[in-house]
């Protein structure tokens, strides 16, 4: 009986490792955002509070720009989307959510903009 349990235990460990490996490349960004979000205010959240973002964006209510929850629900947290949205924050955006443009933030580094996007996309509710 004990032997069977040990064998079953090994099987599930092997299965767990296999599935973790498979999803690693696609879910890397997601895992990253959730671990930083669990460790108190993430770098991205701090950057957002110290920039002008919150004059136009709230986490769950549309003001001038879309709420961050809406943005998170629209885009999957893939590396390509993170790059694309970081580019919009730096260069400005228009026409995705309406006719009001987002002002460019050319003083931001790409790395900081990406941290902001990772935080925003971690707010996903669906
Ligand atoms: C002057 C108001 C304003 C400020 C300041 C502002 N935004 Fe925006 N933001 C907008 C508007 C308006 C849109 C929608 C643009 C569109 O429809 O393409 C938007 C869109 C976005 C999007 C989604 C882009 C897309 O293509 O879906 C993200 C992400 C975003 N903002 C992040 C930020 C961050 C981070 C900051 C601070 C560095 C910031 N915004 C500052 C108004 C603003």
């Amino acid at each position: 009986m004990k032997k069977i349990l040990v064998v079953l235990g090994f099987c599930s460990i092997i299965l767990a490792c296999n599935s973790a490996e498979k999803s690693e490349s696609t879910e890397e960004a997601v895992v990253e955002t959730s671990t930083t979000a669990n460790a108190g205010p993430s770098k991205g959240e701090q950057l957002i509070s110290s920039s002008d973002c919150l004059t136009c964006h709230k986490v769950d209510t549309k003001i001038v720009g879309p709420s961050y929850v809406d943005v998170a629900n629209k885009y999957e947290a893939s590396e390509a989307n993170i790059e694309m949205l970081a580019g919009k924050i730096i260069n400005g955006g228009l026409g995705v959510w309406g006719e009001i443009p987002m002002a460019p933030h050319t003083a931001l580094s790409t790395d900081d903009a990406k941290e902001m996007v990772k935080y925003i996309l971690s707010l996903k509710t669906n």
Side-chain angles (χ1 to χ4, degrees):
M1 189 59 195
K2 266 193 185 156
K3 260 190 193 163
I4 293 178
L5 285 181
V6 171
V7 170
L8 280 178
F10 270 124
C11 287
S12 51
I13 289 167
I14 290 164
L15 280 177
C17 290
N18 272 348
S19 54
E21 245 169 56
K22 255 182 243 155
S23 54
E24 209 169 11
S25 54
T26 49
E27 279 173 12
E28 210 171 309
V30 180
V31 171
E32 235 173 69
T33 51
S34 50
T35 44
T36 44
N38 288 340
S42 64
K43 189 176 176 207
E45 188 176 357
Q46 286 168 13
L47 286 166
I48 284 178
S49 356
S50 59
S51 183
D52 65 350
C53 321
L54 298 175
T55 48
C56 295
H57 295 281
K58 279 219 178 335
V59 166
D60 53 8
T61 325
K62 177 181 190 293
I63 333 175
V64 180
S67 77
Y68 286 150
V69 169
D70 284 346
V71 174
N73 287 337
K74 181 176 167 72
Y75 299 101
E76 189 197 334
S78 66
E79 193 55 36
N81 282 340
I82 291 171
E83 293 250 346
M84 183 275 285
L85 291 172
K88 294 240 180 142
I89 295 170
I90 294 172
N91 301 312
L94 170 68
V96 178
W97 299 88
E99 291 313 306
I100 309 168
M102 170 158 67
H105 297 81
T106 44
L108 274 180
S109 71
T110 308
D111 281 350
D112 283 357
K114 279 171 131 182
E115 289 299 327
M116 289 172 163
V117 174
K118 283 182 194 170
Y119 160 68
I120 294 169
L121 295 185
S122 75
L123 301 170
K124 193 174 175 68
T125 57
N126 71 6

